[in-house]
């Protein structure tokens, strides 16, 4: 069995005539839909979820206000907040006006981010006093969670190569009261020039974004050719990670795509190198039940190929199972050396 | 970026005196004071001790675009409080502070002038022309404004200089 497919290999699943007809009627690429049906359970429910309005979540920010007090203030203004299993994360079920236009938002007392995006920093588990890198940090939602986990004490390095998004990153970090971060404008690989050994790294990699179709309907027409470009970018970041981490350091790799080429197959390549081990997610993440469902394990068989069984330790959040945007997360440990 | 030198700290301390003596240390605590040169101004930041130590010792300092919490800008002896500097200062002093009602707070966050009748209370030492901290009824500083005329007054009282609505309008 080929456990190490070429980096640029794209898995093609021929769509059935019925699937093709349905896809064309609903503005989806038939090739994408056929792939999703191959990889994930209950295709119909997934497609229905991808066509629905995404839920709105907020994460209350303890760096800028007591979360209970913030929740109380929002409820007093007429917002209906439903707690979730994720600490400090609420499902905003009713908004008398935009949740992004409140005084509390401007004071940094909460951040608007999908529940799925909080999972990656929780999986990384940063602690006070550590040196942590967020290699694709903009616009900063995950970095703010990391700073909170670090209790605003430590060294958090945030990189992003998009100048416009770097400004947003700086702005969000300041608004939310983060004192322990330094911002670098440039690709995450630039961290190698700093001469630092990180305790932990987060790579929330640029990707084809299939999991965020609800927010960006243009992604319904994704082309298979995009996978190769994204996979190459992701591989470059992952290759840099080994040199950036101290021996035994922790890496969390995450994406918001459903494509195995960008998720499991990327990690397969890393596991084959022998330089990383794929760890179980921390219990607080592994035992999560969102939408009354446990996280969906990483795929260990893709298009007839068996992959490393350790990939089942990674996890997917799927819109139809978990009520969030689509997300993939895996936790790895750098070997010695 | 680099640690602020003694002279720069002294300049900032002097500029803060209109809000109270000896405010610099409480203002930045528990962080350290760093600067970024943006001629003709100097920008001041509060950095956690650990990231400050890291940056001081490594190449990371040269490469960092920014670090820590942006507090203020000092140019030719004139202090301009930035949003987070005003917020943190508001947690340490009641000086030069104006409390406005919730409706006015909402308008202020859109960069609108605050009318005299919307002012709930004002530090008695504030004079027309002064830069004041504008706070909501809960005491949270929403920005800075210039006091236009003595209070109580009818008509415009606070001319916005910087408000936290900036984060929506321009901050990204």
């Amino acid at each position: 069995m080929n456990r190490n497919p070429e980096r640029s290999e794209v898995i093609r699943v021929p769509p059935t005539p019925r699937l093709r007809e349905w896809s064309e009627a609903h503005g989806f690429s038939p090739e994408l839909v056929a792939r999703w049906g191959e990889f994930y359970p209950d295709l119909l429910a997934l497609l229905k979820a991808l066509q629905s309005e995404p839920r709105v979540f907020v994460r209350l920010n303890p760096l800028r206000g007591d979360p209970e007090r913030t929740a109380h203030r929002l409820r007093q203004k007429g917002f209906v907040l439903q707690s979730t299993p994720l600490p400090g994360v609420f499902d905003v079920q009713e908004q008398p006006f935009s949740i992004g236009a409140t005084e509390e938002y401007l004071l940094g007392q909460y951040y608007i981010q999908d529940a799925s995006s909080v999972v990656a920093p929780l999986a990384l588990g940063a602690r006070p006093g550590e040196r942590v890198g967020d290699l694709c940090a903009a616009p900063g939602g995950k970095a703010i969670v990391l700073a909170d986990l670090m209790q605003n004490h430590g060294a958090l390095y945030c990189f992003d190569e998009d100048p416009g998004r770097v400004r947003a990153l700086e702005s969000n970090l300041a608004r939310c009261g983060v004192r322990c971060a330094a911002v670098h404008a440039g690709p995450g690989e630039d961290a190698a020039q700093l001469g630092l050994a990180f305790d932990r790294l987060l790579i929330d990699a640029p990707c084809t974004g299939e999991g965020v179709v609800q927010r960006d309907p243009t992604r319904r027409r994704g082309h298979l050719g995009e996978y190769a470009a994204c996979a190459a970018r992701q591989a470059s970041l992952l290759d840099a990670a080994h040199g950036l981490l101290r021996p035994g350091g922790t890496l969390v790799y995450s994406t918001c795509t459903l494509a195995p080429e960008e998720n499991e197959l990327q990690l397969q390549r890393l596991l084959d190198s022998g330089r990383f081990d794929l760890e179980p997610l921390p219990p607080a993440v592994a035992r999560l039940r969102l939408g009354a469902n446990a996280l969906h394990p990483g795929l260990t068989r893709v298009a007839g190929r068996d992959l490393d069984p350790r990939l089942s330790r990674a996890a997917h959040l799927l819109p139809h199972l978990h009520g969030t945007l689509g997300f993939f997360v895996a936790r790895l440990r750098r070997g010695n050396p | 970026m680099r640690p602020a030198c003694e002279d720069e700290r002294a300049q900032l301390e002097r500029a803060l005196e209109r809000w109270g003596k000896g405010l610099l240390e409480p203002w930045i605590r528990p962080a350290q004071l760093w600067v970024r040169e943006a001629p003709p101004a100097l920008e001041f930041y509060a950095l956690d001790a650990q990231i400050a130590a890291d940056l001081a010792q490594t190449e990371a300092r040269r490469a960092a675009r920014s670090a820590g919490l942006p507090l203020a800008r000092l140019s030719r002896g004139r202090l301009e409080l930035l949003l987070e500097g005003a917020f943190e200062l508001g947690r340490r002093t009641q000086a030069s502070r104006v409390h406005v009602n919730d409706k006015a707070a909402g308008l202020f966050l859109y960069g609108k002038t605050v009318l005299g009748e919307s002012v709930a209370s004002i530090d008695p030492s504030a004079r027309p022309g002064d830069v004041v901290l504008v706070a909501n009824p809960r005491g949270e500083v929403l920005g800075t404004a210039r006091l236009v005329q003595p209070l109580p007054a009818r008509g415009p009282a606070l001319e916005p200089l910087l408000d936290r609505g900036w984060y929506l309008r321009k901050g990204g």
Side-chain angles (χ1 to χ4, degrees):
Chain A
M1 285 288 174
N2 180 7
R3 284 198 178 191
N4 191 17
E6 284 181 23
R7 206 179 279 192
S8 58
E9 189 172 341
V10 174
I11 299 162
R12 295 178 187 276
V13 180
T16 62
R18 194 169 164 215
L19 229 158
R20 184 173 290 280
E21 195 186 312
W22 185 94
S23 301
E24 297 294 349
H26 290 87
F28 282 87
S29 155
E31 288 74 25
L32 277 191
V33 173
R35 283 164 48 95
W36 294 336
E38 173 76 14
F39 304 141
Y40 301 109
D42 204 351
L43 176 63
L44 215 56
L46 174 59
L47 293 173
K48 196 172 168 189
L50 290 175
Q51 292 180 284
S52 67
E53 196 65 29
R55 288 155 75 176
V56 175
F57 295 93
V58 296
R59 182 186 169 272
L60 306 184
N61 176 29
L63 297 179
R64 266 292 156 89
D66 174 67
E68 278 192 26
R69 203 164 144 233
T70 303
H72 176 70
R73 285 168 65 158
L74 289 174
R75 286 180 171 128
Q76 277 199 311
K77 290 181 173 175
F79 291 93
V80 175
L81 305 180
Q82 178 68 48
S83 61
T84 72
L86 290 159
V89 177
F90 288 79
D91 180 358
V92 183
Q93 297 186 331
E94 271 179 46
Q95 304 182 50
F97 54 93
S98 169
I99 191 75
T102 68
E103 194 176 275
E104 290 77 12
Y105 174 78
L106 294 173
L107 285 163
Q109 293 177 5
Y110 62 89
Y111 192 86
I112 303 166
Q113 64 191 122
D114 192 73
S116 61
S117 78
V118 179
V119 170
L122 292 181
L124 188 61
R127 293 179 196 154
E130 288 185 330
R131 182 184 290 134
V132 178
D134 184 349
L135 299 194
C136 308
K142 297 180 187 70
I144 294 163
V145 180
L146 290 171
D148 179 31
L149 293 172
M150 295 163 72
Q151 296 173 29
N152 225 350
H153 171 57
L156 174 59
Y157 290 85
C158 298
F159 293 81
D160 207 278
E161 56 191 338
D162 184 325
R165 284 166 61 86
V166 163
R167 280 194 292 277
L169 168 62
E170 288 176 322
S171 174
N172 286 322
L173 291 173
R175 182 173 58 78
C176 292
V178 174
R179 282 192 308 262
C180 64
V183 173
H184 293 259
E189 292 94 327
D190 281 0
Q193 298 166 15
L194 305 183
L196 298 170
F198 289 87
D199 297 302
R200 298 177 202 261
L201 279 183
L202 172 61
I203 298 177
D204 182 45
C207 64
T208 49
E210 293 174 352
V212 298
V213 158
Q214 290 165 273
R215 279 217 189 124
D216 181 5
T218 63
R219 294 182 192 268
R220 295 185 184 190
R221 306 297 306 181
H223 299 290
L224 300 189
E226 293 172 354
Y227 295 135
C230 285
R233 186 79 196 88
Q234 293 147 5
S236 174
L237 286 162
L238 285 167
D239 286 344
H242 185 266
L244 292 171
L245 280 166
R246 61 164 177 79
T250 304
L251 166 67
V252 161
Y253 176 75
S254 63
T255 74
C256 58
T257 185
L258 306 174
E261 294 89 339
E262 301 177 71
N263 295 331
E264 286 87 353
L265 295 183
Q266 284 289 7
L267 298 182
Q268 180 68 64
R269 191 183 64 89
L270 214 58
L271 293 175
D272 286 345
S273 75
R275 296 184 299 170
F276 281 92
D277 186 23
L278 215 164
E279 294 194 318
L281 294 167
V285 173
R287 291 183 195 148
L288 273 174
R289 293 188 76 82
L290 293 167
N293 292 305
L295 302 189
H296 190 73
L299 306 176
T300 53
R301 188 171 170 80
V302 169
R305 296 180 201 152
D306 285 328
L307 301 178
D308 194 306
R310 287 176 288 176
L311 286 164
S312 66
R313 296 173 180 167
H316 287 272
L317 283 86
L318 298 168
H320 61 310
L321 295 180
H322 306 110
T324 66
L325 298 176
F327 201 74
F328 173 79
V329 62
R331 175 174 159 132
L332 303 106
R333 185 164 299 280
R334 181 203 194 267
N336 301 310
Chain B
M1 291 190 73
R2 57 173 172 78
C5 67
E6 280 306 313
D7 183 53
E8 289 159 345
R9 292 179 72 93
Q11 285 182 52
L12 187 57
E13 182 96 67
R14 276 195 299 275
L16 283 172
E17 273 178 3
R18 60 174 297 265
W19 274 283
K21 284 200 181 303
L23 264 180
L24 180 58
E25 277 308 317
W27 189 36
I28 64 173
R29 193 183 301 137
Q32 296 186 3
L33 189 66
W34 276 52
V35 297
R36 179 167 71 177
E37 291 174 25
L42 212 54
E43 294 175 347
F44 290 89
Y45 294 77
L47 272 66
D48 174 71
Q50 182 118 7
I51 185 85
D54 238 29
L55 292 177
Q57 290 164 31
T58 68
E59 279 301 310
R61 174 164 98 189
R62 267 182 275 277
R65 176 189 151 102
S66 63
L69 212 53
L71 296 177
R73 199 176 282 130
L74 196 59
S75 180
R76 299 189 178 104
R78 246 194 64 211
L79 179 71
E80 178 195 350
L81 285 174
L82 301 176
L83 283 170
E84 301 314 319
F87 180 84
E88 294 294 333
L89 194 62
R91 292 166 81 176
R92 272 89 176 165
T93 180
Q94 293 292 318
S96 284
R97 177 195 289 255
V98 176
H99 284 88
V100 301
N101 62 30
D102 273 322
K103 186 174 175 189
L107 291 170
F108 177 74
L109 288 172
Y110 277 90
K112 304 289 185 200
T113 300
V114 174
L115 302 180
E117 49 262 42
S118 299
V119 172
S121 68
I122 181 168
D123 173 28
S125 66
R127 297 285 173 264
D130 282 355
V131 173
V132 294
L133 304 179
V134 179
N136 63 18
R138 288 156 293 286
E140 293 154 332
V141 170
L142 303 176
T144 57
R146 193 170 299 283
L147 185 61
V148 172
Q149 56 174 317
L151 290 169
R154 296 180 72 85
L158 300 174
E159 209 169 77
L161 292 173
L162 194 56
D163 65 89
R164 292 190 77 93
W166 177 88
Y167 282 120
L168 278 180
R169 295 192 298 273
K170 294 217 174 135

